[in-house]
Amino acid sequence: MNANKEKWILLIVLTLIWGSSFILIKKSLEHFSPYQVGALRVLIAGIILMPVAISKYKLFPKKHLKWLIMAAFTGNFIPMFLFPIAETEVSSSIAGIINSMMPIFVIIVGGLVWKFETTKKQIVGTLISFAGVCLLAFGGDGEGGKFKLIPILLLLLATLCYAMSTTTVKSKLMEVSSTILSAFVFSFVLFFPSVVALAFTGFFSTFSFNEDNMLGLMFVSLLSIFGTGLAMTLNYRLLKVSTPLFASTVTLLMPIVAIIWGFLDGEKLSFLQFVGAAVIIGGLIFLRSKPKK
């Protein structure tokens, strides 16, 4: 399969998987705390990928260890906690929309850290999308119009972390295969931190195999296996056959899937938030459009 065709197939698959992650986070929060959801998400992915990590341990990129750790914590640990914490205050639809800001952070991080070229059009598009985020923050949640600044900031921080990880992987870790990279990240780098985090929540001393916990574990497992382990493997592959900016385009499409799931689950957006979502996506489309010749 040629790289151009492969990158579009990966983009569509990732859109469906990651776009569905926000509703799975919401359902998981009905059974576990935000910190437990985050830790379980990482831990289960580590357990699933452990056989790959052990069998390929000789390929562990020791010379790039610091970059692997940076990519792991910014892309696969910190955001796993920030999203559940934020979703205790905002809907899964809002979380999906805010996550669409990732291309903007890719441009910012790429320009400041990795010296990627930044155009005037990208700066204007960034400002347009930022205006949309402000509308989301001030537009209420469709259920009373409450101001939700803190969870919006947490979501923006999580999205910034994703951008930091994406640009790091593209710049420093492309020599490692996508499957092995995911296995090393979750099984070697993040396995122990996730166990420690879960222990601090009291999970191991309070968990019991009742119907409620098993249902919650099912949601977290789906989130972990598909939305974390499989999705990150596909994302690393997408980075190999495309650019960080193209790979981040998945976040333009994810809100569509997230909003559909949210609507089916009874979520509502205020009119101002619909406008904000449209402004964000409009700004992103503008910054990605090619100049006329």
Side-chain angles (χ1 to χ4, degrees), residues 108-171:
I108 294 173
V109 174
L112 294 178
V113 179
W114 305 110
K115 307 304 179 183
F116 295 165
E117 184 180 353
T118 303
T119 66
K120 291 182 179 179
K121 176 167 285 190
Q122 290 174 334
I123 294 173
V124 172
T126 299
L127 293 175
I128 292 173
S129 292
F130 179 73
V133 172
C134 292
L135 289 175
L136 276 181
F138 286 94
D141 57 7
E143 300 176 357
K146 296 179 181 179
F147 179 60
K148 300 288 186 178
L149 177 61
I150 299 300
I152 294 294
L153 291 177
L154 291 177
L155 292 170
L156 287 173
L157 177 58
T159 306
L160 170 61
C161 285
Y162 280 143
M164 293 172 63
S165 178
T166 295
T167 53
T168 300
V169 169
K170 184 63 178 181
S171 300

Side-chain angles (χ1 to χ4, degrees), residues 9-10 12 24 40 43 70 91-92 99 138 141 157-158 181 224 240 242 249 273 288:
I9 292 175
L10 289 170
I12 293 171
L24 287 174
L40 282 169
L43 179 62
M70 179 183 294
S91 68
S92 61
N99 195 62
F138 286 94
D141 57 7
L157 177 58
L181 184 57
S224 180
K240 283 182 177 294
S242 66
T249 302
Q273 287 178 320
R288 285 189 54 80

Side-chain angles (χ1 to χ4, degrees), residues 15-33:
T15 296
L16 294 174
I17 294 176
W18 269 338
S20 302
S21 293
F22 304 102
I23 192 66
L24 287 174
I25 292 174
K26 176 183 178 181
K27 293 300 180 182
S28 299
L29 287 171
E30 294 175 359
H31 305 274
F32 302 117
S33 73

